[in-house]
Amino acid sequence: VRPSKISIDTNALLHNLNRAKDLAPSSKVVAMVKANAYGNGLELCVKTLSGKVHLFGVACIEEALAIRACGCDDEVLLLEGFFYSDELALIQQHNFTITVNNQQQLRALLASKLTKKLKVWLKIDTGMHRLGFEPSQVQAIYEQLKNCPWVDDEIVMMTHFSSADEMESSKTLGQISSFEQITVGLKAPLSLANSAAVIAWPNTHRDYIRPGIMLYGASPIANQSAESLGLYAVMHFHSEVIALCHLKPGEAVGYGELWRAKRPSKIATIAVGYGDGYPRVLKENTPVYINGCYAPVVGMVSMDMLSIDVTEVPDVDIGSKVELWGSNVSIDVIAKHANTIAYELMCKVTSRAR
Ligand SMILES: Cc1ncc(COP(=O)(O)O)c(C=O)c1O
């Protein structure tokens, strides 16, 4: 059996949830589990969090149905609403909560003559310019929804930040103030905060927070480590040494002879590569953790293998365990080396490593 697998620490997931709750003690929690719980596995994450959060947030009806298929009856929020109006029958049948983002969705909902009351969140575009109604339209749309017999009386007003990870961002201040102006007279619950805002913008917590990445133990804030924020790694990516080579100075490792030994070097071959989701762009000096030490990746990452320099690591042998990311190697560090974000690394672990 190939030894290269991710494992998911559900205690860390619960710890991180509690961290979010501690930061926003008066808010309800929408746990973001879209994209297979950010790659951490929908079923396991939903079963771990069920009953401990108020809603699950997903991107589409397929993901919402997958939550029901886990035997979970918790409230599920479709963050992009429905794509086609024929989804409304299923939405009604499964009591999904929808976001209304645009005029097409609004018209389809008002025309649909549903038999049950649907829970609706109304998305306002305060500056992300991706989804939602522009502020000047919101009052009228809110009234239309309020007057619709098959829309639940309580309509949650929501917006999403573009730059909440920048601690002093004037953009976020502008989005908050625009959202406040629009919603000030309405007796509606409010939701603004993603993970970065849960941590950095306490005045945005309001009725519902929507943490995603922080639940999975990566830092939502640039230049602040997950550890310093009290978050624990949920995804642990491990492999093993499957071969050892002893190189003389001048000898090279891997495709394209990218790395060349400057001294007599002990190189370990690890059974993991981009075919498992370990990024090929990672080059020299990306750390892995082995036998209590950090060792650098050397040469090109290939599909099934990569090489590390273990010249200074004691007792490395075939079968030695290697952590690619997890408790000792922060996924944020790997993301930085790969010029990406932890979200993408988690999502891109391939089926072979699951
Ligand atoms: C509308 C909305 N809310 C909340 C989140 C969670 O964001 P994060 O994972 O940064 O906490 C997302 C993620 O993309 C989102 O689209």
Side-chain angles (χ1 to χ4, degrees):
V1 180
R2 207 156 185 276
S4 314
K5 292 274 180 254
I6 55 162
S7 60
I8 300 301
D9 182 345
T10 53
N11 287 328
L13 182 61
L14 289 173
H15 165 88
N16 298 334
L17 170 65
N18 286 333
R19 187 80 191 101
K21 287 182 176 176
D22 286 347
L23 288 162
S26 310
S27 307
K28 295 178 180 166
V29 178
V30 185
M32 302 299 291
V33 293
K34 62 200 174 100
N36 194 25
Y38 289 41
N40 289 268
L42 182 75
E43 183 166 4
L44 184 58
C45 293
V46 161
K47 286 188 169 160
T48 303
L49 298 173
S50 178
K52 300 181 177 71
V53 298
H54 296 86
L55 290 93
F56 287 109
V58 295
C60 55
I61 191 141
E62 292 89 334
E63 294 177 348
L65 291 170
I67 291 180
R68 291 287 179 265
C70 303
C72 169
D73 283 331
D74 294 13
E75 191 174 342
V76 178
L77 173 64
L78 293 165
L79 282 155
E80 290 162 37
F82 51 92
F83 294 80
Y84 302 101
S85 45
D86 58 4
E87 291 167 29
L88 280 165
L90 273 175
I91 287 169
Q92 188 175 224
Q93 182 189 336
H94 291 280
N95 293 318
F96 295 143
T97 301
I98 56 168
T99 307
V100 174
N101 296 297
N102 59 40
Q103 288 290 352
Q104 282 75 6
Q105 286 176 337
L106 179 69
R107 261 185 262 127
L109 175 62
L110 296 179
S112 63
K113 303 214 171 14
L114 301 177
T115 49
K116 271 202 277 184
K117 287 220 183 249
L118 217 64
K119 289 194 173 179
V120 172
W121 289 39
L122 178 56
K123 183 139 183 186
I124 308 171
D125 180 9
T126 54
M128 176 75 156
H129 299 322
R130 199 173 62 171
L131 291 180
F133 293 95
E134 59 176 82
S136 63
Q137 302 178 305
V138 170
Q139 185 69 41
I141 290 159
Y142 181 75
E143 294 303 329
Q144 280 179 284
L145 287 170
K146 271 289 206 197
N147 292 329
C148 176
W150 47 93
V151 169
D152 192 277
D153 245 14
E154 191 173 84
I155 298 164
V156 179
M157 309 296 277
M158 74 174 287
T159 196
H160 191 47
F161 295 124
S162 65
S163 313
D165 53 325
E166 294 164 25
M167 307 283 273
E168 311 290 332
S169 163
S170 59
K171 174 74 190 220
T172 306
L173 288 171
Q175 288 194 261
I176 296 169
S177 120
S178 159
F179 189 73
E180 277 172 353
Q181 276 171 34
I182 300 156
T183 55
V184 69
L186 310 175
K187 283 200 191 70
L190 308 177
S191 177
L192 307 89
N194 56 0
S195 298
V198 168
I199 289 166
W201 300 89
N203 62 336
T204 67
H205 291 167
R206 305 307 180 98
D207 299 281
Y208 293 89
I209 54 169
R210 305 189 307 271
I213 197 69
M214 71 179 295
L215 297 179
Y216 306 105
S219 171
I221 314 269
N223 304 323
Q224 281 201 30
S225 69
E227 194 183 6
S228 73
L229 298 171
L231 302 172
Y232 295 169
V234 169
M235 183 185 283
H236 297 250
F237 196 1
H238 289 277
S239 186
E240 283 181 14
V241 175
I242 53 165
L244 290 164
C245 307
H246 294 272
L247 301 195
K248 298 191 194 78
E251 286 183 320
V253 170
Y255 286 118
E257 301 195 302
L258 201 69
W259 182 88
R260 208 169 280 283
K262 294 192 179 73
R263 56 175 181 179
S265 302
K266 184 176 175 183
I267 302 298
T269 306
I270 315 301
V272 70
Y274 62 81
D276 302 284
Y278 193 85
R280 183 174 177 274
V281 292
L282 288 173
K283 298 272 155 57
E284 272 170 54
N285 293 327
T286 304
V288 305
Y289 192 73
I290 176 166
N291 287 1
C293 300
Y294 292 94
V297 171
V298 292
M300 192 71 97
V301 173
S302 40
M303 187 185 287
D304 314 308
M305 284 169 272
L306 57 81
S307 303
I308 60 173
D309 181 355
V310 291
T311 311
E312 284 164 23
V313 182
D315 305 326
V316 174
D317 210 341
I318 290 174
S320 295
K321 303 262 181 280
V322 179
E323 178 189 305
L324 288 324
W325 61 70
S327 303
N328 300 291
V329 180
S330 160
I331 192 168
D332 292 316
V333 168
I334 301 301
K336 203 161 187 183
H337 278 270
N339 199 20
T340 184
I341 49 177
Y343 303 66
E344 188 182 13
L345 293 185
M346 291 178 187
C347 285
K348 277 194 168 166
V349 172
T350 66
S351 55
R352 188 166 72 174
R354 292 182 177 277

